[in-house]
Amino acid sequence: METNLQVEWNNDKELFALIRKELFTAVIGDIMDKMGMYHQFLPPNIRSIRDDMFVVGRAMTVLEADVSSLGESTSKNPVLSKTFGYMLEALDDLKEDEIYICSGSSPSYALWGEIMSARAKMLGAAGAIVNGYSRDTNGILALDFPCFSMGNYAQDQAPRGKVIDWRVPICINNIMIQDGDILIGDIDGVCLVPKEHEVEVFTRALEKARSEKVVLKKVLEGMGAKEAFDTYGIM
C-alpha cells in the first residue's frame, strides 16, 4: 500500500481520537506486518477484563520483580525495604493519556487493583495493562477504567513483588516496550506501535480501515472474495 504520509493529526489528543473512532488492533497489526514488524502483539492471554473495553495511550513502563517482604528488614537495597518498592511513586507519575504497563514478575499475584485504578483515573491516565493478574474486578468495572490483564486473581503483590523501576524499557514475551510507545487494546488483544514508526503506522492504518469499509460494502452487495481482493488488495 502506497501512502504520501499526509498526517491528519497535530497532537496526541487528535491522534487518539482518530484511533478510537476509526481503528482497531487487527488493522493496525496488519499494517505493521506489511512494514516487517511481525511481533507487535502482546500474548493473547493479556485481555480486557470486560469485552467492550478499548484503550489507547502512551506507555508508562513499570518494572516489577518477585521480592518477598520477609527480606525487607535485611535487604541491602533501600528500594526493597519499601512495601511496594517504587509502585506508589510510579503510579503518582502517570500523566494524562498514559497507560500503566507493568512486567517483570512471575504471574502469581495481582499487579493492579481498584484503588490504583481510582488514582490513575484521577490523573487522567488512559488505562492499565499488566503482564500478570488484576483484582478488585467489580471495583475496577464500577470505575469504568480500562484494564487488561491475564485474568482476575485476588492474591496481593505486597508480600510477593515490588516495583524496582519505572519509565525504563521492559519486555513482555521478548517484545520490547519503551516508555512513550503507543499501546492499543481491544477485544482482540493489545498491540504495540513503536514511537519511531507511529506516523507511518497510523497513516497507513487509517487508509486501510477506510478502504476496508468500501470492500465490505461491495462484498455485502454480492462481489466475490477473489474479485474483491483482486480489485482492492484487501480481505
Side-chain angles (χ1 to χ4, degrees), residues 7-176:
V7 179
E8 299 183 30
W9 62 92
N10 297 303
N11 51 51
D12 280 358
K13 283 288 186 189
E14 293 181 7
L15 171 59
F16 297 158
L18 276 171
I19 292 169
R20 290 188 189 96
K21 181 181 179 182
E22 298 193 47
L23 298 182
F24 45 95
T25 55
V27 72
I28 297 167
D30 288 353
I31 291 301
M32 289 191 285
D33 282 347
K34 293 282 190 182
M35 293 171 61
M37 296 185 286
Y38 300 119
H39 306 288
Q40 299 305 122
F41 274 88
L42 302 191
N45 59 340
I46 297 179
R47 303 187 58 81
S48 56
I49 63 171
R50 191 179 66 215
D51 285 349
D52 65 346
M53 285 182 166
F54 185 95
V55 69
V56 57
R58 292 200 179 270
M60 197 279 276
T61 53
V62 179
L63 182 61
E64 180 104 7
D66 293 338
V67 180
S68 172
S69 63
L70 296 176
E72 286 179 4
S73 61
T74 60
S75 174
K76 300 175 183 62
N77 186 333
V79 177
L80 304 188
S81 65
K82 297 158 66 74
T83 302
F84 297 103
Y86 283 137
M87 188 267 281
L88 303 176
E89 289 85 347
L91 183 61
D92 281 342
D93 194 38
L94 272 168
K95 305 296 189 293
E96 187 175 8
D97 290 327
E98 286 190 328
I99 296 171
Y100 183 106
I101 181 164
C102 181
S103 188
S105 60
S106 60
S108 58
Y109 47 87
L111 298 171
W112 192 260
E114 179 184 13
I115 296 177
M116 295 177 75
S117 297
R119 176 58 177 155
K121 188 169 184 175
M122 288 296 296
L123 293 169
I129 300 168
V130 296
N131 190 22
Y133 294 98
S134 55
R135 67 179 203 164
D136 311 322
T137 305
N138 289 331
I140 299 173
L141 292 173
L143 288 165
D144 196 27
F145 187 77
C147 177
F148 289 68
S149 71
M150 289 184 177
N152 312 324
Y153 187 43
Q155 186 152 268
D156 191 20
Q157 67 176 302
R160 301 173 179 88
K162 299 179 189 293
V163 170
I164 59 173
D165 211 346
W166 78 101
R167 297 198 183 278
V168 294
I170 62 173
C171 285
I172 298 180
N173 272 27
N174 295 319
I175 299 169
M176 178 70 73

